Amino acid sequence: MIDQLSPDIQKMTIASREIIFNTSPILTEEWKWSMPSYSYSRLVSKAWTTKYFTHSNIVSLHFTKACALFQH
């Protein structure tokens, strides 16, 4: 699914993924709602891309359970 994003958004999504997995390698990546989501027994983070915003070249990370990143 990442290949369906614009090149700029792909770069930002890949960089965000690296940060997330370097912080907590126990997370798994899934694509929900046409965006990457990261979970560990439940949703921890999701990345919204430009299709949800009027501005271009934006990746917005939302952490729903950020403390799960450090609970390993």
Side-chain angles (χ1 to χ4, degrees):
M1 303 245 346
I2 197 168
D3 58 338
Q4 296 175 0
L5 302 172
S6 71
D8 289 341
I9 297 299
Q10 285 182 23
K11 290 177 189 176
M12 288 184 269
T13 302
I14 291 167
S16 300
R17 174 193 286 159
E18 287 179 21
I19 292 168
I20 289 170
F21 285 133
N22 285 339
T23 303
S24 187
I26 62 170
L27 294 177
T28 58
E29 181 181 60
E30 305 169 72
W31 283 79
K32 296 181 180 182
W33 313 289
S34 299
M35 66 185 91
S37 301
Y38 303 92
S39 60
Y40 175 69
S41 75
R42 62 181 160 199
L43 183 65
V44 173
S45 175
K46 62 185 175 201
W48 287 16
T49 58
T50 54
K51 76 181 221 177
Y52 296 99
F53 298 100
T54 57
H55 308 291
S56 62
N57 300 332
I58 294 175
V59 174
S60 176
L61 291 175
H62 296 258
F63 291 91
T64 57
K65 300 287 181 186
C67 63
L69 290 170
F70 305 103
Q71 294 176 346
H72 175 59

